[in-house]
Amino acid sequence: MGIAEDVAGLLRAHPAVRGVELVGSRARGTAARSSDWDFAVAVEDFGEVAADLPGLVAPFDPVAAQWDPLGECASYLLVFAGPVKVDLLFRDVPRRPARPWRIGPDTLGAVDAHFWDWILWLVSKRQRGMDDRVRGELLTMSGHLLRPLGVQVVPRSLEEAVTRYVRARERLEARYGQRVPRRLEAEVLPLVHARDGDHYRPSGLRS
């Protein structure tokens, strides 16, 4: 389990954590090679644990760490080099889905992290043959993230979503005079275009 179990072990040692349990496809034995590691975390004091999480995971050098804007419960989403996706689910802490992204120079980085985490999750769904789920999520992504960026067309594939997102992001970077770090993109993008385990970077997309 590697880094996923290391993160879970750190959480289990936290004084405000009652338990950490592996759930989802990894627990059921139905995971694809890119599936995330889902851990249900039971806590005594959510506020204390939430405040400590960034420091707890910092030694593992996460590529991205964010609270899920669309989760039905509080969910801390982590991506590590590999990429390895680890989701910490606080099921006793309900959340309402956030409104579509407001785009500005102060949100570009968070939008980028959300997009690539979402794409990585969808890669695992595609690997499991869940094409209907992927199409439904691309529709949701369109309304929540891509349309606010100026992308009016609902993408028909992960490849199209990536192409349209990258173009829109580059336009906004030029407008705002800033550049979003590409570390997370570099981890996820090869998987989008991989077939049978082969990773490659398509032409026409700049890193």
Side-chain angles (χ1 to χ4, degrees):
M1 199 178 294
I3 196 168
E5 181 55 39
D6 291 341
V7 171
L10 269 183
L11 277 172
R12 292 187 181 101
H14 192 286
V17 172
R18 296 199 309 269
V20 180
E21 178 187 2
L22 179 66
V23 296
S25 62
R26 295 285 183 182
R28 295 191 299 268
T30 59
R33 62 183 179 277
S34 297
S35 290
D36 48 346
W37 295 87
D38 291 328
F39 291 95
V41 185
V43 297
E44 298 287 351
D45 186 331
F46 173 71
E48 180 182 348
V49 175
D52 290 346
L53 273 175
L56 283 174
V57 302
F60 299 105
D61 190 25
V63 182
Q66 62 192 305
W67 290 99
D68 186 359
L70 297 179
E72 295 180 355
C73 67
S75 304
Y76 199 56
L77 313 181
L78 296 157
V79 179
F80 301 95
V84 177
K85 179 168 163 56
V86 178
D87 292 351
L88 307 177
L89 313 177
F90 298 86
R91 290 175 166 174
D92 295 332
V93 184
R95 288 283 177 88
R96 290 183 178 179
R99 296 177 62 84
W101 277 102
R102 175 189 60 79
I103 304 302
D106 59 326
T107 61
L108 277 188
V111 170
D112 193 73
H114 188 201
F115 176 78
W116 292 110
D117 180 279
W118 205 340
I119 288 292
L120 178 56
W121 181 67
L122 289 178
V123 165
S124 71
K125 301 304 180 189
R126 186 174 67 178
Q127 288 173 351
R128 294 172 62 192
M130 301 171 68
D131 295 340
D132 288 344
R133 181 67 180 273
V134 171
R135 283 191 290 269
E137 288 292 328
L138 288 175
L139 180 60
T140 302
M141 179 186 288
S142 176
H144 185 79
L145 190 153
L146 294 176
R147 193 170 296 130
L149 287 169
V151 178
Q152 300 303 320
V153 177
V154 177
R156 294 165 295 179
S157 67
L158 300 188
E159 289 83 356
E160 183 180 351
V162 165
T163 298
R164 292 186 181 278
Y165 169 76
V166 168
R167 289 172 179 167
R169 182 192 60 193
E170 289 179 347
R171 287 195 297 269
L172 290 167
E173 287 177 326
R175 178 189 303 173
Y176 299 134
Q178 65 183 61
R179 177 180 168 86
V180 173
R182 301 299 202 254
R183 185 182 174 199
L184 180 56
E185 176 180 337
E187 290 284 347
V188 177
L189 184 58
L191 294 179
V192 175
H193 301 275
R195 290 293 183 270
D196 299 325
D198 295 326
H199 297 175
Y200 67 91
R201 183 179 299 277
S203 60
L205 292 181
R206 297 188 295 278
S207 61

